[in-house]
């Protein structure tokens, strides 16, 4: 049977944002990486916040009205952050997606250091692989 741990399906190269980063720069990073949000990390790599596309929209609209880009990631990021461990079951994470709002979870080690991110698409892919594997063994 195929593994169903978060570590096997997470994105190991997520966008990493900082508190001092201008929101416009964070938006560029999200858009260029095709990610819908990213963890905000401190200098030691610990996750201290999360910034989603939705968090950025109002700020970007206000910036377009006032022609200013003064807002920083730390001003609008969500904190505390819901995160998961790499050894967590993808099935368990799927159940979290059904109950809670985040579309993306940072994956952190036991010290809170960022290892990657996992989204709903990755969870769906993992479950699909598991089901296909089960069907092949049943035939």
């Amino acid at each position: 049977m195929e593994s169903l741990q978060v570590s096997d399906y997470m994105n190991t190269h997520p966008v990493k944002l900082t508190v001092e980063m201008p929101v416009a720069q964070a938006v560029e990073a999200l858009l260029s990486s095709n990610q819908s949000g990213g963890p905000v990390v401190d200098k030691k790599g610990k996750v201290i916040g999360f910034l989603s596309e939705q968090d950025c929209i109002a700020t970007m609209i206000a910036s377009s009205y006032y022609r200013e880009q003064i807002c920083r990631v730390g001003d609008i990021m969500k904190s505390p952050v819901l995160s998961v461990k790499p050894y967590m079951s993808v099935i368990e994470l799927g159940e979290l997606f059904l109950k809670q709002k985040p579309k993306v979870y940072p994956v952190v080690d036991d010290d809170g250091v960022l290892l990657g991110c996992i989204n709903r698409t990755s969870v769906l892919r993992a479950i699909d692989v598991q089901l296909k594997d089960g069907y092949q063994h049943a035939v």
Side-chain angles (χ1 to χ4, degrees):
M1 282 260 189
E2 188 72 27
S3 171
L4 279 180
Q5 284 191 331
V6 165
S7 61
D8 295 322
Y9 295 93
M10 69 184 186
N11 171 4
T12 57
H13 301 289
V15 169
K16 294 177 188 174
L17 308 172
T18 64
V19 175
E20 292 300 318
M21 183 181 284
V23 171
Q25 183 181 350
V27 168
E28 289 296 321
L30 292 173
L31 292 173
S32 67
S33 66
N34 201 27
Q35 294 178 37
S36 63
V40 182
V41 296
D42 66 13
K43 292 179 181 180
K44 295 180 180 179
K46 288 189 177 189
V47 176
I48 57 171
F50 194 87
L51 187 73
S52 69
E53 291 172 323
Q54 185 171 349
D55 298 328
C56 298
I57 291 173
T59 301
M60 295 299 287
I61 290 171
S63 292
S64 71
Y65 283 134
Y66 300 112
R67 303 277 189 248
E68 296 178 0
Q69 296 182 3
I70 56 171
C71 189
R72 305 248 177 232
V73 168
D75 298 331
I76 64 170
M77 70 181 191
K78 298 286 189 261
S79 186
V81 181
L82 296 173
S83 61
V84 297
K85 304 292 184 195
Y87 45 79
M88 181 181 200
S89 158
V90 170
I91 298 297
E92 188 179 350
L93 177 57
E95 291 172 350
L96 274 181
F97 276 120
L98 295 174
K99 297 174 188 172
Q100 299 182 16
K101 184 179 177 181
K103 296 177 183 178
V104 179
Y105 281 89
V107 181
V108 299
D109 67 12
D110 290 331
D111 295 319
V113 175
L114 181 67
L115 300 173
C117 284
I118 190 161
N119 61 21
R120 294 183 294 188
T121 302
S122 297
V123 170
L124 210 57
R125 183 174 294 113
I127 295 169
D128 183 54
V129 167
Q130 181 73 13
L131 289 173
K132 283 181 182 176
D133 190 46
Y135 293 147
Q136 290 174 353
H137 284 89
V139 175

